[in-house]
Amino acid sequence: MKNIIIILLIFAVLLFLVPFLWNSAFPARGASQVSEYEAQNTFRVFLTESGEIIEIGAADYLVGCLFAQIPPGYHAEALKAQAVAAHTYALRLALNNKSFPMPEINGADFSNSSVTCQPFFTEEQARDYYGIEYDIYLAKIKEAAEYGATRVILYESEPIYAVYHSVSAGATNTARYIWGLDFPYLERVPSDWCREFTSFVNTNEISASQMRDVLLGFDPEIIMPLDYARWFTDYSADSIGYVSAVSARNLTLSGGDLWRILNLRSAAFEITYNGSAFVVTTWGHGHGVGLSQYGADYMARRGHTCDDILNYYYTNITIAAINNE
């Protein structure tokens, strides 16, 4: 009898401990390792158009971000995912600026520049851009923004560079192609559903004179042959179409360089010469790294939550609650 009681006690203890030990050894991907993260709840934003600095609460800032960054007609879970990403990116920028202040923003946390920071609309700009649709979408945008202001994406207990783009080229890009750096949470993931985007493939032309001016503006020492067809050679691109490097005669440019200086629609591209102009064909929209907004909407409409989306497009991360008390 005593032996039976001991066996039952051991069995009861194991029932309690085994799930605990299993979950500790094999935590679910994206499981919260940090329950709360202390973060600033207001931002000082430098407005590049006026030179003014505004102080704004995190949720109100995210309202302006969402109106400037993502179609407001997207699914609510996709908007929430974008809000969390934008909030995380803002916290990362503010953190960076404390260590390496940018003199051009006059003591602000960051600016509304889409080149060096991230897009943000003031209420006036959003109303001008959306017209009567501003009031139609406002409640939906506010709900997503308020949620986003309560969350942050962390890697090793710090906010990540939560970059995002409109539409991937069928999978996300590597940060190395765009910025020359690798990040463990910005790994390539499939996003084949992005190919369903209405204008997934886009073609436009750039005249030889326009191309010359842009390239010389980037590097006055560049040498361009008389044969236009030889201006861009030795393409290095992956199977998706993202370009890592291109030779422009005496200069090797990264895919990110050309994407920026030519203001290309996507970092997945091909440039050819048709006898009268340079033809640029692109796949997707944006640099392709991190969260795909179209992909987020696709996933959300198929039942995936905000956290599902974030854990898919950003790898090895923790999503933590914000503690502003």
Side-chain angles (χ1 to χ4, degrees):
M1 183 67 178
K2 184 183 293 185
N3 289 337
I4 294 174
I5 292 172
I6 291 172
I7 291 171
L8 289 174
L9 285 172
I10 292 172
F11 182 71
V13 169
L14 287 174
L15 281 177
F16 174 78
L17 284 179
V18 168
F20 173 78
L21 294 172
W22 179 269
N23 290 332
S24 297
F26 303 99
R29 182 183 172 191
S32 180
Q33 306 294 313
V34 179
S35 58
E36 289 185 334
Y37 178 85
E38 291 186 9
Q40 63 190 86
N41 55 13
T42 61
F43 297 116
R44 287 168 54 80
V45 185
F46 178 80
L47 303 180
T48 55
E49 299 83 359
S50 64
E52 177 189 5
I53 294 177
I54 61 171
E55 186 163 338
I56 188 170
D60 290 334
Y61 170 70
L62 291 176
V63 168
C65 284
L66 291 175
F67 272 122
Q69 295 168 358
I70 186 170
Y74 275 7
H75 192 282
E77 291 299 308
L79 294 179
K80 285 163 63 177
Q82 176 62 34
V84 176
H87 187 215
T88 300
Y89 195 53
L91 291 170
R92 179 74 250 180
L93 290 173
L95 189 63
N96 287 356
N97 196 48
K98 287 181 175 65
S99 302
F100 306 100
M102 294 189 292
E104 64 271 21
I105 63 174
N106 297 329
D109 292 311
F110 42 76
S111 76
N112 64 341
S113 167
S114 59
V115 177
T116 58
C117 296
Q118 66 178 341
F120 163 81
F121 278 167
T122 63
E123 181 180 340
E124 181 182 6
Q125 289 171 324
R127 286 186 179 278
D128 286 345
Y129 187 86
Y130 286 98
I132 60 173
E133 289 188 338
Y134 176 85
D135 289 314
I136 294 173
Y137 289 118
L138 183 58
K140 182 182 179 183
I141 291 292
K142 277 188 172 181
E143 182 178 354
E146 287 167 1
Y147 179 85
T150 68
R151 297 289 186 276
V152 61
I153 308 167
L154 303 177
Y155 178 78
E156 294 186 345
S157 301
E158 286 199 341
I160 70 169
Y161 291 97
V163 293
Y164 46 87
H165 59 280
S166 295
V167 188
S168 84
T172 59
N173 198 359
T174 171
R176 185 176 65 257
Y177 286 8
I178 303 299
W179 300 290
L181 298 168
D182 284 315
F183 297 92
Y185 46 80
L186 295 176
E187 296 179 357
R188 170 162 295 177
V189 297
S191 192
D192 197 58
W193 41 85
C194 287
R195 298 178 188 276
E196 298 180 15
F197 185 68
T198 305
S199 54
F200 177 74
V201 181
N202 186 268
T203 301
N204 71 298
E205 294 187 355
I206 301 175
S207 70
S209 60
Q210 288 175 313
M211 186 69 78
R212 180 186 294 107
D213 289 345
V214 171
L215 292 175
L216 287 173
F218 178 73
D219 187 344
E221 301 299 318
I222 192 170
I223 298 171
M224 289 164 287
L226 294 177
D227 182 359
Y228 293 145
R230 294 173 54 214
W231 278 22
F232 299 102
T233 58
D234 299 328
Y235 268 87
S236 294
D238 58 27
S239 59
I240 301 298
Y242 291 118
V243 176
S244 60
V246 179
S247 293
R249 189 57 186 273
N250 64 322
L251 184 68
T252 298
L253 301 171
S254 72
D257 287 336
L258 276 176
W259 170 70
R260 280 184 289 271
I261 66 178
L262 296 179
N263 194 27
L264 300 181
R265 180 179 175 87
S266 171
F269 62 87
E270 182 179 54
I271 303 174
T272 57
Y273 186 69
N274 67 2
S276 59
F278 289 95
V279 179
V280 181
T281 303
T282 58
W283 297 270
H285 193 179
H287 52 61
V289 185
L291 174 74
S292 165
Q293 295 171 334
Y294 179 82
D297 183 59
Y298 182 97
M299 290 179 67
R301 293 182 188 281
R302 282 151 185 79
H304 292 280
T305 66
C306 167
D307 282 10
D308 293 337
I309 294 164
L310 294 174
N311 279 303
Y312 184 77
Y313 283 107
Y314 303 113
T315 55
N316 308 307
I317 59 162
T318 293
I319 302 170
I322 295 290
N323 177 14
N324 285 323
E325 295 181 0

